[in-house]
Structures are given as structure tokens and as C-alpha cells.
Amino acid sequence: MNSIEYLGAITGFLCVWLATRRHVLNWPFAIVSSLCYIVVFYQVKLYVDTALQFFFIGSSIYGWFYWKSTTDEKTIEAVKIQSKTLASYILIMSLLAFLLGWWLKKNTDASLPFFDAFTGCFSVLAQWLLARKHIENWIIWIAVDILYVGMYISRELYPTAILFFAFLILALMGYYGWKKPAFPKHLSNES
């Protein structure tokens, strides 16, 4: 399992680093990372995180094609979501997280059912916002990554905890980077 976890961590890091730079090739790295983490999370009984990887694979395919189809040849532009829409998404995800956590606690041997449910539900929201190029994805990733670091340390997934600490830093960089005007696509592809 350790080599799979390391491969997942490396490709996951590359994925998020490329996303902070608005680079479309973040998506294939996301797919490889998710495939690795299906195995890792299932083995440590983080069932929501396991299922989440399947969502990440699908949303990565969607994001890859969406970014390619909505980007002209010169710029990669981030957009803001309406505050009311974001607030309703957060409310819905909070309710779903509570219900899922309760169900996991009552019906499975899941590790950390409420943390797993909360981080999983809000990861879905953050990933969807990322695929749609909404800058607010980074704010949600920042909050979720903080929780993930503690959760993975508690499950002794140290490379993954380090990865999510790096994700936290990258999410901060992504948020501030995406607040700047779009830059020429050729520059985003060079670095």
C-alpha cells in the first residue's frame, strides 16, 4: 500500500500545483491520484473518501473537457459564483454531511464517520467549483484540507497528511493567484 500511497501523493500534488496555475493538465494527474487513493482509503476504512475518488475521476474528466472547451487560445479565466448560490450549496452540503456521518456511524465500521462525511461532501462541492472555474473552490479546499491533515494523521497516513498540508499551501496560492487577472495561456503551459 505504501508505494500506491506515495504515487497518489505525488500525482495529487502535481494535479493541485497545476490547477493553481490554471493549467488544464491538472486533470489527468487528478485521475491517476484518485485511482491510487481508491485503494489506500478503502484499506483504512475511510469509505466516503474511497467513494469520493470515483467522483473525482468523473469530475476530472468533465473538468478536463470543460476547461478545454471554454478556454480561448490566449487566456484561462476564473469566475466568481453568486453569494446566494454558494450559501445554498454550503447549507445543502452541511445537511448531507450530517446525514451521511450519522448513517456511517450507525451502519458501518467507518473510521471517523462524521469527519469523513464532512470532508467528503465539501470536497465534492470544492471539486465541482474547480471544474466550473469558480475561484471560491480554493476557500472551501483551504477549510477541508485543514481537516484532512488531522484526519490522515489519526489514520497514520503520514505521506497523505503531508500531501494535504501541501494542498493547504497550494490552495492558498491558488486563491490568491486566481484573484489576479487571467494570464496568457502559453505562460501557464510553460511552468
Side-chain angles (χ1 to χ4, degrees):
M1 178 174 89
N2 226 2
S3 61
I4 294 172
E5 184 182 359
Y6 282 112
L7 178 60
I10 291 166
T11 55
F13 178 84
L14 291 171
C15 157
V16 175
W17 180 75
L18 287 167
T20 66
R21 306 192 52 77
R22 305 180 204 191
H23 197 297
V24 72
L25 288 180
N26 79 83
W27 300 111
F29 283 103
I31 293 167
V32 173
S33 181
S34 292
L35 288 169
C36 293
Y37 276 111
I38 287 170
V39 174
V40 172
F41 293 145
Y42 183 77
Q43 290 180 343
V44 296
K45 299 180 181 181
L46 291 172
Y47 301 130
V48 174
D49 276 353
T50 302
L52 185 60
Q53 301 313 305
F54 291 100
F55 169 78
F56 283 160
I57 291 168
S59 66
S60 294
I61 293 167
Y62 170 82
W64 196 352
F65 286 103
Y66 183 78
W67 280 31
K68 287 182 80 55
S69 70
T70 60
T71 301
D72 67 27
E73 290 302 310
K74 297 186 179 171
T75 61
I76 298 173
E77 191 70 52
V79 295
K80 288 185 134 298
I81 193 170
Q82 291 183 353
S83 297
K84 287 182 188 179
T85 303
L86 183 59
S88 65
Y89 288 166
I90 290 171
L91 181 64
I92 291 167
M93 285 304 175
S94 296
L95 179 61
L96 286 174
F98 175 77
L99 293 172
L100 181 57
W102 177 80
W103 185 88
L104 287 168
K105 184 174 181 173
K106 296 289 182 191
N107 297 296
T108 72
D109 63 345
S111 300
L112 308 169
F114 286 99
F115 273 100
D116 195 19
F118 182 85
T119 54
C121 287
F122 278 88
S123 291
V124 166
L125 177 57
Q127 185 73 3
W128 172 251
L129 294 174
L130 175 63
R132 299 291 297 174
K133 301 185 204 175
H134 291 293
I135 192 170
E136 293 83 1
N137 84 84
W138 297 113
I139 296 168
I140 295 171
W141 279 127
I142 290 164
V144 169
D145 289 341
I146 291 168
L147 295 174
Y148 271 132
V149 170
M151 190 168 79
Y152 294 143
I153 288 171
S154 78
R155 302 309 309 154
E156 298 180 1
L157 296 173
Y158 300 116
T160 304
I162 292 167
L163 172 66
F164 276 77
F165 182 75
F167 282 172
L168 173 60
I169 293 167
L170 289 172
L172 288 164
M173 291 170 52
Y175 177 70
Y176 289 108
W178 279 35
K179 284 176 74 170
K180 296 176 184 173
F183 44 84
K185 187 175 180 182
H186 72 278
L187 291 177
S188 68
N189 288 337
E190 290 177 341
S191 346

